[in-house]
Amino acid sequence: MMSHFTVLPLVLTAAMMAAAPASAGEPDLVRVDRFVELRTGERLFVREVRRPGAASEANSAVLLIHGARVPGVASFDLPVAGGSLAADLAADGHLVYVLDIRGYGASSRPAAMNRPPDQSAPLIRTEDVVADISATVDAIAKWSDVSRVSLVGWATGGHWAGAYASRFPQTVDRLVLYNTLYGGSDRHPTLVPARRLKIPTGLGRLVSNRSAVIG
């Protein structure tokens, strides 16, 4: 088993079937909603989308990481025609997981979110998201019996995915950055400049632009 954050050991709850309906014309797919429990008492929501059958029959495991505004299911698994990247990838034979970072969707909400925004510092930083991704990748390794997971990060999710991949390249099969900011200035009137990320060699494939295909 992969374990990178000893402060966040995994205790996996029993899975429950997702309530989201399939869109019209969608192939027969299975959706299972799971939770990853963290030692802090918080938990992460993760939706699995796959073809019927054993997980070992899938081409690969793929983790979809949303951006800063919209949580996972609304970003990647809308129950309308053409509205689910998760369904498209699952229909192509991949084992797909949709994550809600802490503070988003069905994952735990920090207590400070119940207070006015001017009374709290930023709640979830990149380091926290890297920990969430790490816990989820460890969980996927148990659920699907894989050692490497492909990451797809949309917008800010691409920065988070890149931060995770730069730290734990041995767990990443492919890294896809979709519509992620690049080529801009390292200065911002309200943000502190972050450390520059060094993407290591050894990743199956790195794609940083507006479109990408997992093959």
Side-chain angles (χ1 to χ4, degrees):
M1 174 184 133
M2 297 176 292
S3 180
H4 313 301
F5 286 82
T6 56
V7 297
L8 295 175
L10 300 176
V11 179
L12 307 181
T13 65
M16 61 182 181
M17 293 306 298
S23 62
E26 179 182 280
D28 188 21
L29 297 175
V30 175
R31 285 173 169 83
V32 180
D33 288 349
R34 304 176 184 268
F35 288 95
V36 178
E37 302 288 342
L38 308 177
R39 177 178 288 178
T40 59
E42 298 168 296
R43 66 180 187 173
L44 305 174
F45 171 85
V46 182
R47 170 169 292 180
E48 178 183 291
V49 185
R50 59 177 173 82
R51 289 177 177 173
S56 59
E57 298 174 358
N59 294 335
S60 69
V62 181
L63 176 61
L64 304 181
I65 304 169
H66 62 79
R69 300 181 184 275
V70 182
V73 171
S75 293
F76 299 117
D77 195 28
L78 289 176
V80 297
S84 176
L85 174 62
D88 290 344
L89 291 173
D92 198 42
H94 301 283
L95 188 61
V96 183
Y97 294 92
V98 181
L99 169 65
D100 281 343
I101 301 299
R102 275 175 288 173
Y104 291 87
S107 290
S108 294
R109 291 168 56 89
M113 291 182 72
N114 296 322
R115 299 195 295 267
D118 60 353
Q119 295 182 14
S120 301
L123 304 180
I124 301 295
R125 295 185 177 273
T126 295
E127 192 74 14
D128 302 308
V129 180
V130 168
D132 287 356
I133 296 173
S134 179
T136 305
V137 169
D138 283 350
I140 292 171
K142 282 189 170 182
W143 297 332
S144 60
D145 193 27
V146 300
S147 59
R148 295 164 70 91
V149 176
S150 294
L151 305 180
V152 178
W154 182 14
T156 306
H159 295 293
W160 293 333
Y164 172 84
S166 69
R167 192 166 304 176
F168 303 109
Q170 72 278 9
T171 69
V172 179
D173 186 9
R174 294 173 173 86
L175 175 63
V176 179
L177 310 180
Y178 177 72
N179 201 29
T180 297
L181 181 65
Y182 61 94
S185 171
D186 62 355
R187 299 185 180 277
H188 191 281
T190 61
L191 300 179
V192 177
R195 298 188 305 271
R196 293 184 180 277
L197 291 176
K198 293 183 179 180
I199 302 299
T201 58
L203 297 179
R205 178 166 48 172
L206 170 64
V207 181
S208 61
N209 208 317
R210 294 210 149 199
S211 62
V213 177
I214 297 177

